[in-house]
Each structure stands twice: as structure tokens, then as C-alpha cells.
């Protein structure tokens, strides 16, 4: 099992770079950031600094979208970083949430996600692609390689992921919901003639190690609000029963609005509707043993990576404990002598 951290690019940028360096020092494999250009600093500029200051970690957005950036520009950024730093990037993409809603826009269509995934992947892998009625290719890209992982919740988004994604990003750590969604992606891949085992499955959620459950819940309750934005879209399209797990839809019935100025922050004041049960299900809270037990369950259902959202007051200690006491248990064990 691989492990990542998810960071907001709050100023100063060197703080973000410093957290990324600590993540690598503690053994994490991936460093992800939010991509919402009005709320936080520009992540792609910071990626260059992170890659320059580290040796091994892979960086990417969780997640970008097809609306706020031209697809060919996105591909160019990734290809340039790969040519400079040796293929240490991954592109997470979705329909768009804070980046588009702050602009009074709406999430894009799944058709756009599908087409953007193809254009970005082909160009960033040094291949020609048909786009806007012409054939395009980067003449300067020689060695760039890029995977595009799709973030999804709803049935059609999961189907799209299975049909065209290199990976699946699920932003919640509920084992039952993750099992259902991973199964839907794998089925869609098989139905499309793809190898389901070739898709990387990444679960991302806040993780907090400790014993004060009340404090940990309050520090991570924001996450249920963020997920609720996507669930609200699903309920609007499919209703609150039938096509999606009831556990995913029931809790948003008390949702009355959302302030994107508090997006992803522990002190978000628009998440009172999120009950303790949802915080406990969607996040990983508790002792080292609690974390290991839930991660073992996620690994057993096919999760390849767990990415820790670090939007709480215990960032450095969380990374330290994960590096020393949690990740080693979940790694594949190899002995020096058989």
C-alpha cells in the first residue's frame, strides 16, 4: 500500500514545500495539493519547488478540472515538470468544485472530463492527439510519462473512471462505500474491455492520531461538508435512494448551504449538519491500532493508496506517527534472508 499527503497551498509557499519535504522524510510516496486558484496559491508553481527540493515523492493536484485551465496548458505543465524532474507527477482530475463554484460556475460534464483526460494524457505522454479539429503534439517532449486519475462519486462518474481513468480517487474512507464504488469502477473497466487490475485505487481522507475523539472530530468535520457538496449534486441527479448507498446520501438532508471561503478548513462554520457518525466513517481517527485496523480493511478491498488530508492542527505529528508506526505495518514485508 502506498501513502500520500494532501496539502493546501496556503502562504507562505515555502511552508507547503517544507511539509512536502517532511512527508518524503517520513516515507510518504505522494504529495497532493488542492487546485483552486482563488482560494490558495498556484499549485503548479509550487510543484516545481517541491520537486526540486525532494528526490522521490510524486506530486499532483487532488484535483484539477477541465473548466478553469485549458487542457493543452495543463498537459504542458505536467510534461514540462516531467522533462525537468524525471516523471514524478500524476494528474488528478474531476468535474470541479471550489475552483469553479467560487467563479459562480458549475461543475463540467462527464463528457468534458472524459475528453480532457484523453487530451492531457496523450500530450503529456509525448503522443499526438486530435483536438479542436487538428492534430497536436509537443515537439519538445521526449521522455514525459503521465497517468490521469479521476475523482468520482456518482454512478456515471464511476463508469467514466472505469472506462478511461488510469486511477480512481475516492475522497472518503468509509469501507462499505469504498467497496461499492471500487466494484463499480472495476465492472465498468471490465465491460469496456480494460483490465480492472491496471487501475490504481486511491482513498483520500483526513487522518488524526490521538485519543480525544471530540477534538479530532471537530478538526475533521469540515471533510463531511466538502464531500456533501458532491453528494448534493448526486442527490439532485439521482434522488436519495436506489443508485447510490443510503449511507452516503442521508446525512446531507440537514445541509443548508456552504461557504467556500471556509472550504477545507477545520473552522468551517457551515458543517454543523455533519453528524459524528459520518466524521468517524469518512475519516480515520483514533489510536495507531484504530488506523491500522481501518487501513487493513481498505487494503483488503483493493485500495492501493491512502492519502492523508492534513487540514487540521496536528500535521507534523500525524506524518511522524504514520511514518514510524502505521505505514510500516501496511507495507509489503520483505526479509533479508528467506
Amino acid at each position: 500500500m502506498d501513502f500520500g499527503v494532501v496539502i493546501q497551498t496556503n502562504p507562505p509557499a515555502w511552508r507547503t514545500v517544507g511539509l512536502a519535504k517532511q512527508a518524503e522524510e517520513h516515507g510518504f510516496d505522494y504529495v497532493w495539493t488542492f487546485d483552486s486558484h482563488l482560494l490558495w496559491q498556484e499549485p503548479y508553481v509550487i510543484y516545481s519547488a517541491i520537486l526540486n527540493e525532494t528526490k522521490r515523492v510524486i506530486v499532483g493536484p487532488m484535483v484539477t478540472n477541465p473548466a478553469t485551465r485549458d487542457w493543452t496548458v495543463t498537459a504542458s505543465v505536467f510534461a514540462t515538470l516531467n522533462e525537468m524532474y524525471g516523471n514524478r507527477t500524476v494528474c488528478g482530475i474531476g468535474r470541479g468544485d471550489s475552483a469553479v463554484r467560487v467563479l459562480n460556475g458549475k461543475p463540467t460534464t462527464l463528457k468534458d472530463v472524459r475528453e480532457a483526460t484523453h487530451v492531457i494524457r496523450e500530450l503529456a505522454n509525448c503522443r499526438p492527439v486530435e483536438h479542436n479539429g487538428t492534430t497536436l503534439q509537443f515537439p519538445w517532449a521526449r521522455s514525459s510519462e503521465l497517468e490521469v486519475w479521476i475523482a468520482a462519486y456518482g454512478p456515471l462518474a464511476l463508469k467514466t473512471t472505469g472506462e478511461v481513468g488510469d486511477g480512481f480517487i475516492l475522497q472518503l474512507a468509509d469501507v462499505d462505500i469504498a467497496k461499492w464504488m471500487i466494484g463499480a469502477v472495476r465492472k465498468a473497466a471490465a465491460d469496456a474491455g480494460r483490465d480492472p487490475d491496471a487501475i490504481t485505487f486511491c482513498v483520500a481522507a483526513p487522518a488524526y492520531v490521538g485519543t480525544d475523539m471530540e477534538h479530532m472530530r471537530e478538526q475533521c468535520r469540515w471533510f463531511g461538508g466538502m464531500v456533501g457538496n458532491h453528494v448534493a449534486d448526486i442527490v439532485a441527479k439521482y434522488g436519495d435512494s436506489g443508485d447510490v448507498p443510503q449511507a452516503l446520501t442521508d446525512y446531507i438532508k440537514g445541509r443548508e448551504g456552504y461557504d467556500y471561503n471556509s472550504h477545507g478548513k477545520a473552522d468551517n462554520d457551515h458543517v454543523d449538519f455533519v453528524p459524528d457518525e459520518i466524521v468517524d466513517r469518512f475519516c480515520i481517527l483514533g489510536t495507531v491500532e484504530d488506523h491500522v485496523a481501518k487501513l487493513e480493511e481498505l487494503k483488503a478491498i483493493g485500495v492501493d493508496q491512502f492519502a492523508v488530508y492534513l487540514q487540521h492542527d496536528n500535521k507534523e505529528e500525524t506524518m511522524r506517527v504514520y511514518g514510524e508506526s502505521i505505514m510500516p505495518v501496511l507495507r509489503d514485508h520483505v526479509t533479508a534472508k528467506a
Side-chain angles (χ1 to χ4, degrees), residues 198-311:
I199 298 174
T200 302
F201 294 95
C202 173
V203 161
Y208 200 126
V209 183
T211 56
D212 186 345
M213 287 300 294
E214 182 178 354
H215 177 74
M216 291 187 291
R217 284 170 178 149
E218 289 311 306
Q219 284 289 304
C220 299
R221 198 174 303 277
W222 66 268
F223 185 69
M226 185 190 81
V227 173
N229 297 328
H230 302 287
V231 175
D233 289 341
I234 294 171
V235 171
K237 183 176 181 63
Y238 298 99
D240 60 1
S241 63
D243 290 317
V244 293
Q246 202 74 17
L248 185 61
T249 60
D250 278 352
Y251 83 98
I252 69 161
K253 291 177 181 178
R255 181 178 182 269
E256 296 180 351
Y258 191 82
D259 182 3
Y260 278 93
N261 290 309
S262 301
H263 187 60
K265 296 180 180 179
D267 61 355
N268 191 318
D269 57 1
H270 283 66
V271 295
D272 291 343
F273 70 92
V274 181
D276 289 350
E277 178 190 1
I278 287 296
V279 180
D280 295 349
R281 291 184 67 163
F282 284 12
C283 306
I284 305 185
L285 312 176
T287 64
V288 167
E289 292 74 21
D290 293 330
H291 285 248
V292 169
K294 191 164 186 178
L295 288 167
E296 290 280 16
E297 289 186 80
L298 290 169
K299 184 178 181 180
I301 63 172
V303 174
D304 300 300
Q305 178 186 155
F306 177 63
V308 179
Y309 272 97
L310 287 176
Q311 286 67 51

Side-chain angles (χ1 to χ4, degrees), residues 11-23:
W14 291 111
R15 165 75 165 144
T16 303
V17 176
L19 288 170
K21 292 171 67 176
Q22 288 184 55

Side-chain angles (χ1 to χ4, degrees), residues 70-72 115 119 129-136:
D70 183 272
W71 309 344
T72 62
E115 293 177 357
V119 169
V129 67
E130 296 295 320
H131 182 54
N132 284 345
T134 190
T135 302
L136 305 173

Side-chain angles (χ1 to χ4, degrees), residues 89-102:
T89 68
V90 60
C91 178
I93 194 169
R95 293 176 60 221
D97 184 28
S98 62
V100 295
R101 296 189 202 264
V102 170

Side-chain angles (χ1 to χ4, degrees), residues 3-10 16 19-20 23 28-35 40 43 47 50 58-64 149 169-172 202-207 222-223 226 263-264 305-312 315 318-319:
F3 289 86
V5 295
V6 187
I7 306 170
Q8 289 174 342
T9 54
N10 291 308
T16 303
L19 288 170
F28 286 88
D29 308 285
Y30 287 75
V31 173
W32 303 89
T33 74
F34 286 39
D35 179 10
W40 300 286
Y47 293 160
I50 291 173
I58 296 169
V59 304
M62 188 177 283
V63 293
T64 193
W149 298 7
I169 296 172
L170 172 58
Q171 291 162 306
L172 57 82
C202 173
V203 161
W222 66 268
F223 185 69
M226 185 190 81
H263 187 60
Q305 178 186 155
F306 177 63
V308 179
Y309 272 97
L310 287 176
Q311 286 67 51
H312 54 58
K315 298 176 178 61
T318 296
M319 289 193 286

Side-chain angles (χ1 to χ4, degrees), residues 53-98:
E53 294 283 331
T54 57
K55 303 297 182 184
R56 183 182 55 82
V57 289
I58 296 169
V59 304
M62 188 177 283
V63 293
T64 193
N65 67 84
T68 56
R69 303 179 190 274
D70 183 272
W71 309 344
T72 62
V73 173
T74 299
S76 179
V77 170
F78 282 108
T80 299
L81 291 172
N82 286 337
E83 295 285 331
M84 291 176 66
Y85 298 107
N87 294 323
R88 290 168 53 204
T89 68
V90 60
C91 178
I93 194 169
R95 293 176 60 221
D97 184 28
S98 62

Side-chain angles (χ1 to χ4, degrees), residues 5 13 67 75 84 129 136 140 146 148 154 157 160 164 257 261 300 309 316 327:
V5 295
M84 291 176 66
V129 67
L136 305 173
W140 43 265
L146 180 74
V148 182
T160 298
V164 302
N261 290 309
Y309 272 97
E316 288 85 354
M327 293 193 298

